[in-house]
Amino acid sequence: LRMPVMDGAKFLAAAKEEFPETVRIMLTGQADLNAAMEVVNRGLIFRFLLKPCSKEQLMAAIQDGIRQRQLLCAERELLENTLRGCVKVLTDVLAIVNPRVYGKASRVCQLIRRVQPFLSTQEAWSLEVTAMLSHLGTLGVSPEIVEKALAGKELSPEEQSQWERHPYICRDLLAHIPRLEGVRENIVHQMSGARNGVRNGACAEIPLGARLLRIVSDFDSLCDAGAEAEEALLAMGRQMGRYDGELLDLFRKALVEDRV
């Protein structure tokens, strides 16, 4: 607890932040009891042992820690497998009901995979799931409107209003699936492209996934309509405010280096 530069409590807090699944055990003396209790109350440790501590007590605590770690990993694996299964079911339904929309989602996902190495983010899986589920809400929109929108045809005000509902339909469909909070945020804001937007009447940061999704989705639509990649990028670059400029430059760089 009484280390120089960083005391034990700060070290345990940093360890929990950096490696949240690590099981932490504290062994300390009676003189440090008050400080140790603060660490306990902040939930930074799994077991608390007082000196002198027998070898049997220490070994028992370590064995309990190992079991706790195994339990946490098993629970995480179960949740992740369940989550993957839910996502696969939803994308399979999309593929059956509207293969064209599924095809677009798959292409967008491939584009996001190409740009991921250039991003300073650990959200690779979240971004891919965002791409695959980004148009799931079109299941609640008239097929004729979906077809016109994907073909780049002009929509009437009423049709445009219906088309713009699909991210919110998707959000509601995903509302009860755990660990998809970030995905839902990305999808809801996918039609906002620049850095700042209005959310609930206040200016707020648009998630990275939403900004990237807007770029790759529009790029795919332009290419699907017959534009060459460079032509599509130039057209997008002329639309000030529609896209995050830095992210668009990064996307262009990813495409160029991927072709080399």
Side-chain angles (χ1 to χ4, degrees):
L1 280 172
R2 299 177 180 179
M3 299 187 296
V5 183
M6 176 185 286
D7 64 31
K10 290 180 180 177
F11 169 77
L12 287 167
K16 182 179 180 181
E17 181 70 23
E18 189 72 17
F19 307 102
E21 292 181 354
T22 297
V23 178
R24 297 165 298 279
I25 298 173
M26 174 182 286
L27 173 64
T28 189
Q30 184 72 32
D32 294 321
L33 189 56
N34 289 335
M37 290 306 298
E38 179 188 353
V39 174
V40 172
N41 291 333
R42 289 168 61 190
L44 300 178
I45 60 172
F46 171 70
R47 286 285 188 273
F48 170 54
L49 303 174
L50 273 176
K51 298 176 183 178
C53 175
S54 68
K55 182 176 70 173
E56 290 75 20
Q57 284 180 300
L58 182 58
M59 290 301 296
I62 292 173
Q63 288 168 358
D64 288 344
I66 291 171
R67 282 192 288 270
Q68 176 70 6
R69 164 75 178 183
Q70 291 170 338
L71 180 63
L72 289 172
C73 290
E75 181 182 15
R76 183 192 64 191
E77 186 176 344
L78 176 63
L79 283 171
E80 288 181 353
N81 288 338
T82 302
L83 191 54
R84 287 193 188 98
C86 289
V87 171
K88 187 177 187 307
V89 167
L90 291 170
T91 54
D92 286 350
V93 169
L94 185 61
I96 293 169
V97 175
N98 196 324
R100 177 165 184 179
V101 173
Y102 176 78
K104 179 176 179 62
S106 297
R107 293 193 304 272
V108 168
C109 187
Q110 289 298 324
L111 287 169
I112 282 181
R113 285 174 181 161
R114 290 169 68 177
V115 76
Q116 277 175 359
F118 299 86
L119 298 172
S120 56
T121 177
Q122 302 298 316
E123 300 179 12
W125 185 83
S126 175
L127 291 176
E128 290 183 22
V129 173
T130 293
M132 289 306 301
L133 298 180
S134 59
H135 285 67
L136 182 67
T138 60
L139 295 176
V141 180
S142 165
E144 292 76 17
I145 294 175
V146 174
E147 186 66 26
K148 285 181 68 175
L150 292 183
K153 296 179 180 178
E154 186 176 353
L155 301 177
S156 69
E158 174 61 27
E159 289 173 332
Q160 185 66 33
S161 177
Q162 288 193 44
W163 171 248
E164 291 178 355
R165 285 179 53 238
H166 82 81
Y168 299 93
I169 295 172
C170 182
R171 178 197 61 188
D172 294 342
L173 288 173
L174 303 178
H176 300 294
I177 301 180
R179 298 195 178 185
L180 288 185
E181 293 82 4
V183 170
R184 292 197 295 269
E185 279 288 293
N186 290 337
I187 289 173
V188 164
H189 297 285
Q190 64 179 288
M191 292 185 177
S192 302
R195 280 193 179 278
N196 296 306
V198 176
R199 194 184 306 174
N200 297 328
C203 189
E205 183 78 5
I206 297 169
L208 168 69
R211 288 180 271 136
L212 180 60
L213 183 60
R214 180 61 180 268
I215 289 171
V216 297
S217 182
D218 283 5
F219 175 81
D220 175 75
S221 294
L222 290 169
C223 292
D224 193 44
E228 295 293 331
E230 193 57 39
E231 182 185 357
L233 289 170
L234 286 172
M236 293 169 69
R238 289 193 290 267
Q239 299 186 59
M240 301 296 294
R242 182 177 176 88
Y243 308 106
D244 179 331
E246 293 180 8
L247 205 52
L248 182 59
D249 289 341
L250 201 63
F251 178 61
R252 180 184 289 105
K253 179 182 177 183
L255 293 182
V256 169
E257 295 200 10
D258 197 40
R259 291 197 299 265
V260 173

